[in-house]
Amino acid sequence: MSDTTIRIHSDVVLIGAGIMSATLGLLLKELQPDLKIEIYERLDAAALESSDAWNNAGTGHSAFCELNYTPESPDGTINPAKAISIAEQFEVSRQFWSYLVSEGKLASAKEFIKSIPHISFVWGEENVAFLKNRFNVLQANPIFADMEFSTDFSDLMQWMPLVMNGRNEGEKVAATSMKIGTDVNFGALTRMMFAYLTSLDGVTIHFGHEVKKMKQREDKTWRIKITDLDSGQKVKAYTKFVFIGAGGGSLPLLEKADVPEGKGYGGFPVSGQWLKCTNPDVIAQHQAKVYGKASVGAPPMSVPHIDSRMIDGEKALLFGPFAGFSTRFLKNGSYSDLPLSIKPSNIIPMLVAGYKNIPLTKYLIEQVRQSPKDRMDALREYVPNARSKDWKLERAGQRVQVIKRDEELIGKLEFGTEMITTADGSLAVLLGASPGASTAVSIMVDLVGKCFKEEMQSSEWKEKVKKMIPSYGQALNENPTLLAEVRASTAEVLNL
C-alpha cells in the first residue's frame, strides 16, 4: 500500500491562528522576507477562540483602568510595577500596528481600533480611599500623567451617565478616567494581519488541520504529524522552529512535544459569560470601559466591567464576565481536555495549586450556581436602572490559567501569560491568559530575541525592529519626550 502522507518542509511552523501567531509571523517575515512559514489551525477560520471579540475579556487592556494590576499590600501601599509594564507593552503594540497601517500592510485602522475613555469606578469609603491612593501613585508616572480623579457626582455623571443614573447623590463614589484609552477588536485585527501575511510568498495557512503528534529529531528539527479534519488526509510537517500559540490548546501540545522545559506545567480552565445588552437606546447611552473591583477569590479576568465595544462595525455593550468552570481548554474543545492533561510530572503541582486556591474554587462554584436574578443584581451595582428584558446571557471564551512548579518545586497558579522556550530555541510555547492580546507584540519580540538570538544581535535585524517599534530598547515611562512623540505619531496613524 502506498503512503499518501503529504510532506511539507518549512523554516517556521505556527500552531494556532490567533493574534499571537499572526504577530509572530508578521514580525519574522519583516525581519527575514525569505522565510517559509506554515500555519496550522484546527478550526475553519482565524481568530475564533481567545482572539475573537466576543471571547476576549478586556479588549484594549492597557492597565489604565484594571484595578487588579495595582495590588494593595496589607500596609496600604500600592505597587504600580505591573500596571506600568503592561501600559508600556500596549504602547509597543500601538507602534507595531501603526507601522503596519502606515506601510499599507493593514488596510484601515478604523476596522480594529477606536478611542474610548478607560474608567475605574468604586463606591464605599474604603474603596474610595484605595482609588485615590492608586491615582496618586500612578499619576506620578509619565505613562499615566493624563489620568483624572474625581469624587464629584456631576463629573462622574458626565463621564458615565448610564452608570450614575439612579444613584443616590449622597453615596460615596470615586472614579479615575484616562481619555486616551482604546477599544481593540482583536478578532478583526488578527484576520487583517493573516490576510496580509498569507498574501506573501512562502506563507500558507491550513484551516481544519489538527496537530496529533510532535517529535524533535536528532538534528534538532521537528516532525509534526497533522490530520486534515475534513478529508482525513495525513500531513507530516518538517521545520526548524515551532511556535505553539493555540490558547487553551497550547498545554496539551506542549505535553505532546515532550521537552524537559515543559515538565510540571498544568492548566486550570475558567469559562466565562457576558450579559449582552439588546436595547440600542441603552447601548447608545454608554461610551466608556468602566472597571470595578473584583470579588474576593475571583480570578483577575473576572474583574467586573461595563464595556462599550465596536464589534463587526456595530456598537455593543457587555457586562461581566461571569466566571464558570468547564473541563474544556477551548470554547470549541472537549470535556476530556483537563483529565487528559494530568500527567505524572504535573499532578503534584496541580493538586498543591488546587489546595492553595480554595477561595478561587469556592468563587467559581458560586458563579456556576448563579441565577438570572443574581446576575442582574450584579449588573445593577454598575447600571442601577438596568431592566432584565434589555439583557441576555452570552457565552464568552475559555481561559486556561497556568499551574507551574514554584521555587519549592510544589505548585502555584499563575494568572498571567507564560512563555516557555527550549534551550536550543527551536520551540516556543505561550501559555496563560490575561493580558495576552494587548501585549502580543512585546511578548513576540521577546520570543524572537530568545529563539533567534544570533540574528537579533545583528545590526540588520536591530534596525528593522527599530523601524517597526521606534521605542525598541528604551523604557517609555523613563523617557517622557519619547513617550509623547510615540503617542502623538501612533494616534495620528491609527486615527485616535
Side-chain angles (χ1 to χ4, degrees):
M1 198 177 91
S2 65
D3 180 11
T4 58
T5 301
I6 296 171
R7 288 170 171 76
I8 301 174
H9 294 263
S10 66
D11 301 302
V12 171
V13 163
L14 307 175
I15 302 172
I19 186 68
M20 296 294 174
S21 291
T23 303
L24 179 59
L26 269 177
L27 276 169
L28 288 173
K29 206 64 179 154
E30 289 293 310
L31 292 167
Q32 191 177 326
D34 63 351
L35 278 179
K36 189 169 187 290
I37 300 176
E38 299 286 323
I39 304 149
Y40 295 94
E41 166 58 51
R42 199 170 62 96
L43 301 176
D44 56 10
L48 292 181
E49 280 282 350
S50 300
S51 303
D52 181 70
W54 290 112
N55 296 339
N56 199 312
T59 46
H61 263 312
S62 46
F64 290 164
C65 58
E66 300 90 340
L67 300 177
N68 52 304
Y69 294 153
T70 46
E72 185 179 27
S73 60
D75 67 359
T77 53
I78 303 277
N79 183 353
K82 188 173 184 180
I84 291 167
S85 167
I86 290 168
E88 283 257 3
Q89 290 176 69
F90 188 71
E91 297 291 341
V92 168
S93 291
R94 271 179 56 148
Q95 290 172 71
F96 182 61
W97 303 335
S98 297
Y99 165 78
L100 295 174
V101 171
S102 60
E103 294 281 315
K105 297 169 199 285
L106 295 184
S108 154
K110 70 175 195 299
E111 302 300 317
F112 69 86
I113 191 165
K114 297 266 191 302
S115 287
I116 191 165
H118 283 200
I119 295 172
S120 304
F121 173 61
V122 297
W123 55 89
E125 205 152 326
E126 203 176 301
N127 289 334
V128 169
F130 159 76
L131 194 66
K132 177 73 169 127
N133 189 7
R134 176 183 181 272
F135 165 74
N136 289 336
V137 169
L138 283 182
Q139 208 215 12
N141 296 280
I143 217 154
F144 294 96
D146 297 336
M147 186 177 272
E148 298 173 61
F149 172 86
S150 184
T151 53
D152 187 288
F153 200 91
S154 58
D155 284 347
L156 273 52
M157 181 63 98
Q158 219 175 341
W159 292 355
M160 43 181 184
L162 188 70
V163 172
M164 299 309 290
N165 277 324
R167 286 185 191 275
N168 172 0
E169 287 202 32
E171 190 184 354
K172 266 222 171 267
V173 288
T176 57
S177 176
M178 282 287 275
K179 299 284 194 295
I180 60 167
T182 48
D183 174 53
V184 186
N185 183 331
F186 284 103
L189 174 61
T190 303
R191 287 185 281 274
M192 288 168 78
M193 287 166 88
F194 275 124
Y196 172 69
L197 186 57
T198 53
S199 74
L200 302 174
D201 286 346
V203 182
T204 313
I205 193 161
H206 308 267
F207 291 116
H209 279 63
E210 184 164 23
V211 173
K212 297 293 188 185
K213 285 183 178 172
M214 293 177 66
K215 187 169 178 58
Q216 190 171 30
R217 304 194 301 168
E218 278 182 21
D219 65 356
K220 298 296 179 191
T221 62
W222 287 87
R223 183 187 69 216
I224 307 165
K225 292 184 178 176
I226 301 151
T227 302
D228 181 331
L229 298 175
D230 285 339
S231 66
Q233 172 71 56
K234 301 282 186 265
V235 178
K236 280 185 183 172
Y238 299 89
T239 189
K240 299 172 202 160
F241 172 75
V242 185
F243 170 64
I244 302 174
S250 290
L251 178 64
L253 290 169
L254 171 63
E255 292 178 340
K256 283 186 170 96
D258 194 29
V259 291
E261 292 86 351
K263 300 284 183 254
Y265 280 92
F268 184 84
V270 178
S271 60
Q273 292 175 313
W274 296 108
L275 278 175
K276 173 184 161 185
C277 187
T278 55
N279 184 335
D281 294 338
V282 177
I283 295 169
Q285 289 173 48
H286 191 66
Q287 183 56 29
K289 292 182 179 293
V290 178
Y291 275 62
K293 274 189 108 175
S295 316
V296 175
M301 73 288 187
S302 293
V303 173
H305 50 290
I306 179 83
D307 196 348
S308 184
R309 297 253 187 107
M310 285 300 289
I311 300 178
D312 305 326
E314 284 192 22
K315 199 173 170 194
L317 183 60
L318 309 176
F319 175 75
F322 299 97
F325 178 75
S326 161
T327 55
R328 295 176 196 234
F329 278 179
L330 291 159
K331 194 173 178 177
N332 298 285
S334 157
Y335 288 113
S336 62
D337 288 344
L338 177 60
L340 289 177
S341 76
I342 299 168
K343 306 284 184 221
S345 68
N346 68 12
I347 190 162
I348 289 174
M350 286 179 78
L351 288 171
V352 171
Y355 174 71
K356 286 182 183 170
N357 286 276
I358 287 169
L360 171 62
T361 312
K362 184 170 167 282
Y363 169 82
L364 291 174
I365 291 166
E366 284 167 3
Q367 289 272 297
V368 171
R369 291 173 58 192
Q370 278 191 326
S371 67
K373 183 187 177 299
D374 293 333
R375 283 189 282 266
M376 282 307 297
D377 287 347
L379 170 61
R380 287 189 186 110
E381 289 195 319
Y382 288 83
V383 183
N385 294 336
R387 301 178 304 178
S388 301
K389 67 177 184 178
D390 293 338
W391 298 80
K392 73 169 192 178
L393 198 62
E394 183 89 19
R395 190 172 156 219
Q398 194 75 8
R399 295 283 181 274
V400 177
Q401 305 303 329
V402 180
I403 292 172
K404 67 174 190 178
R405 292 175 178 160
D406 64 8
E407 293 68 33
E408 295 141 22
L409 288 180
I410 307 177
K412 65 174 178 177
L413 192 59
E414 286 282 317
F415 285 115
T417 41
E418 185 90 6
M419 178 64 75
I420 298 158
T421 52
T422 54
D424 62 9
S426 70
L427 175 75
V429 185
L430 188 75
L431 300 176
S434 180
S438 294
T439 59
V441 180
S442 290
I443 293 170
M444 291 302 119
V445 170
D446 286 350
L447 181 159
V448 173
K450 283 179 181 157
C451 297
F452 297 82
K453 258 190 195 133
E454 275 179 43
E455 297 92 327
M456 205 60 161
Q457 293 304 315
S458 72
S459 56
E460 188 194 350
W461 274 39
K462 278 183 180 164
E463 274 169 40
K464 285 181 175 178
V465 175
K466 198 92 175 134
K467 190 183 173 196
M468 294 186 273
I469 302 159
S471 72
Y472 177 63
Q474 299 175 78
L476 289 171
N477 194 54
E478 292 163 15
N479 194 331
T481 311
L482 180 63
L483 172 67
E485 280 170 23
V486 160
R487 275 191 174 160
S489 67
T490 58
E492 189 180 349
V493 174
L494 298 172
N495 204 19
L496 301 173

